Amino acid sequence: MRRRQAGRVALIAFGILALGSAPAWGQGSHGRRYLGVGVEAGSLGLGAQVTVGLTSRLDIRGVGNYFKLTFNNESISDIDYDVTAKWTSGMLLADLYLAGPLRITAG
């Protein structure tokens, strides 16, 4: 029962974080610079993303994720398990927009 409640709370928190992603400044057009900041939740854990529009066709993105999973004194088939897993990841990417949403990403 406790696991189900914890799972529901985590799912609701991930949904709120995913819906909370929004650009901090307006979208760039006609070569104007802009800054976009977002939060995300997924299989890599909780994350944040920052995008800086350098030109109307070139963006730089930084992405970071963090996930931690801990099970203490879990028993399966009379075998006790203690598990701790941590995952952190980060990326620095450059996006070159060719036509509309079509882009090439390097990083």
Side-chain angles (χ1 to χ4, degrees), residues 7 9-21 38-49 63-67 87:
V9 168
L11 183 61
I12 291 168
F14 289 155
I16 290 169
L17 286 173
L19 291 174
S21 298
V39 293
E40 55 193 23
S43 59
L44 295 178
L46 300 176
Q49 187 173 147
V63 181
N65 294 294
Y66 176 77
F67 179 74
W87 174 264

Side-chain angles (χ1 to χ4, degrees):
M1 182 75 148
R2 207 169 80 189
R3 280 189 192 172
R4 283 187 183 174
Q5 289 176 340
R8 287 180 187 159
V9 168
L11 183 61
I12 291 168
F14 289 155
I16 290 169
L17 286 173
L19 291 174
S21 298
W25 296 343
Q27 293 292 326
S29 62
H30 308 293
R32 285 184 270 166
R33 294 180 136 195
Y34 68 93
L35 173 69
V37 178
V39 293
E40 55 193 23
S43 59
L44 295 178
L46 300 176
Q49 187 173 147
V50 176
T51 303
V52 177
L54 301 177
T55 70
S56 62
R57 297 183 65 186
L58 180 64
D59 291 349
I60 301 294
R61 285 189 290 150
V63 181
N65 294 294
Y66 176 77
F67 179 74
K68 181 179 177 183
L69 177 67
T70 303
F71 289 108
N72 291 323
N73 300 321
E74 294 293 325
S75 181
I76 300 172
S77 299
D78 295 327
I79 300 173
D80 292 330
Y81 293 94
D82 287 330
V83 177
T84 300
K86 292 181 184 178
W87 174 264
T88 56
S89 63
M91 295 183 286
L92 182 61
L93 305 166
D95 298 323
L96 177 62
Y97 289 87
L98 302 176
L102 180 63
R103 70 179 178 214
I104 295 177
T105 300

